[in-house]
Every structure is written in C-alpha cells, then in structure tokens.
Amino acid sequence: MDLDAFINLLKITSFDGSELDADKFNVVYAGAIRPVNNVGNIIDAAKLLKEEKDIQFLIYGDGNQVEVLKQRIADEGLTNVKMKGFVEKKYIPYILRQVIGQYTELFSNAIQLDKSKQFQ
C-alpha cells in the first residue's frame, strides 16, 4: 500500500461517521461479510455485552451473509449492533483513525490512572 495515499485518505471528512463519534466505545469490523470471516463471532460478543449501553458494534461491509446476520440481530433483539453496509475502501482509513483515536484516549486515561496509584 502507498503510505502517502493512506495518509491522504485519513483527511477525508465527507464520510458520515457520526456514530463513530458517539459517546460509546466502538467495536468496528470493516470487510467482507461472508463465512470465512466469521462475522457471527462479533454478533456473539455483542450478545454477551448487550446490557453494556456504552459499547456498540459497527459492522461495515457487504457479502453473502449480510441478510442472515441482520435477521439474527433482529431475532436476538440486539440494539448494540449496527450493520452499516458497504463502504468504499477510501473511507477505511478515516474509520480506523476514529477508532484508534478512541483507543488511544482510553489507554492514555488508563495509564494516567495507573500512574496515580504508584505512590499510594
């Protein structure tokens, strides 16, 4: 991959990533939705965490399992999973930047908390 092209794609702002900016912890999958990628495992995790209102699962992609997974999400009453549909590859760096930013902030806060306990 051309690193300069990737960096330029990080600057895209025309993508509606409003749910990525939500006050929730985002678990994101972006890719083909087909058996080999076992996206059903993400639905399993969402089911286990469905009572955690501050965690959401965003699934970007298309494939031959989309309808099956949408039906499963509906049947299991999972409100913490959003099937976002196909996304052009040029938007993937933007999505990743948003998610990595959240993780960086989370880990930074955790490190600060840990440092505050050092002298107790």
Side-chain angles (χ1 to χ4, degrees):
M1 171 169 227
D2 181 350
L3 187 56
D4 290 329
F6 184 85
I7 290 169
N8 286 332
L9 289 173
L10 288 174
K11 299 173 187 171
I12 289 176
T13 58
S14 63
F15 177 76
D16 178 18
S18 57
E19 289 177 328
L20 290 166
D21 296 329
D23 291 333
K24 295 185 178 189
F25 183 82
N26 293 303
V27 178
V28 175
Y29 172 82
I33 301 175
R34 52 195 187 122
V36 70
N37 293 335
N38 212 355
V39 180
N41 283 347
I42 296 169
I43 308 301
D44 294 341
K47 185 176 180 179
L48 292 172
L49 296 169
K50 69 180 178 180
E51 300 303 320
E52 301 294 331
K53 301 301 179 198
D54 58 343
I55 300 174
Q56 70 179 351
F57 295 77
L58 304 174
I59 300 174
Y60 294 89
D62 198 8
N64 60 5
Q65 277 199 311
V66 169
E67 294 307 316
V68 170
L69 294 179
K70 282 182 179 180
Q71 188 61 53
R72 181 175 167 204
I73 291 164
D75 290 347
E76 296 181 17
L78 299 176
T79 58
N80 59 342
V81 181
K82 295 182 175 116
M83 298 292 288
K84 303 300 292 176
F86 174 79
V87 63
E88 292 181 51
K89 286 184 181 182
K90 70 181 182 180
Y91 296 121
I92 300 298
Y94 173 82
I95 293 168
L96 295 177
R97 182 184 70 189
Q98 298 303 102
V99 174
I100 290 170
Q102 284 183 337
Y103 294 160
T104 302
E105 182 178 337
L106 175 72
F107 292 129
S108 176
N109 290 340
I111 290 169
Q112 293 302 320
L113 288 172
D114 191 51
K115 284 182 180 177
S116 70
K117 294 180 182 180
Q118 287 179 350
F119 300 105
Q120 291 181 351

